[in-house]
Amino acid sequence: MQRLFKYKLLYLWEIGDRMTKLTSLAESSRGCELCPLAKQGRTQVVFGDGNEDADIMFIGEGPGFYEDKQGKPFVGAAGKLLTQLLESIGLRREDVYITNVVKCRPPQNRDPKPEEIEVCTNEYLFMQVQEIEPKIVATLGRFASAVILGLKDVSMGRVHGQKFKKDGYFVVPIYHPAAALHSRANLEPLAEDFKKLKEYLEEKSEVRAEVSQEVEVEQMGLF
Ligand code: SF4
């Protein structure tokens, strides 16, 4: 009984420590000028939002118009669809953590450049993943999937809904909600991807313990 109490205390202390680190990282990102995106019309840094003890983390490409204005990731139409898809598998937005590869809006929504990605991911994103320790990192769309898998490019048609081992968690590339808004034909595969996420989350043992059964990213021959 005493041991159980001790473990509970340690667990709560660990969560508290993690939150403190994320909060101070978010604070330090506010005035960030480490890459050229700082001076290319951003309104504010969009650090991330959600449960800092989440089992699943969603990563998109970068803030868009509404995200830049409101300071939160995925708040426009794509964000609304993301919320609906989460609800379809029994999750609320507050249950997950959502962020982007880069934290400042690229002008005209262009793709972030390699040097911007390198600085921002090393300074913030990889720290976020390290502190949150998710079981699953769901990458939204081709761009974020390639960055997180460490590949030059990926074919979403080949990789979506699959899980790939990476540093103690699994990366699951899924279609970007904006793709389903652009064409309704993309909605069904996206909904299927979410069902897969639910399956992966419900797998009985710790996802991290099942790595031996998984195919390494390098073995996939994705190039
Ligand atoms: S994109 Fe990232 S690294 Fe670049 S200025 Fe914004 S917060 Fe800093």
Side-chain angles (χ1 to χ4, degrees), residues 29 32-35 37-38 42 45 102-104 119-120 124:
S29 77
C32 179
E33 296 192 348
L34 288 173
C35 89
L37 287 177
R42 80 170 181 209
V45 172
V102 292
K103 315 301 186 198
C104 299
V119 174
C120 203
Y124 304 113

Side-chain angles (χ1 to χ4, degrees), residues 4-89:
L4 186 63
F5 180 68
K6 191 175 150 192
Y7 285 145
K8 271 187 180 171
L9 267 183
L10 277 172
Y11 176 69
L12 290 172
W13 179 82
E14 197 185 299
I15 291 177
D17 186 50
R18 189 184 301 174
M19 287 175 181
T20 308
K21 282 185 189 160
L22 277 172
T23 304
S24 69
L25 191 63
E27 284 297 321
S28 71
S29 77
R30 280 186 206 285
C32 179
E33 296 192 348
L34 288 173
C35 89
L37 287 177
K39 297 203 185 304
Q40 295 185 6
R42 80 170 181 209
T43 306
Q44 58 193 312
V45 172
V46 183
F47 182 75
D49 184 43
N51 182 353
E52 293 170 350
D53 190 35
D55 283 340
I56 182 163
M57 207 174 153
F58 289 83
I59 302 178
E61 178 177 331
F65 178 84
Y66 294 106
E67 289 78 19
D68 175 68
K69 295 283 173 245
Q70 294 185 35
K72 280 190 173 183
F74 284 86
V75 291
K80 199 171 164 195
L81 180 56
L82 178 64
T83 302
Q84 287 168 355
L85 287 159
L86 285 170
E87 286 169 358
S88 76
I89 59 167

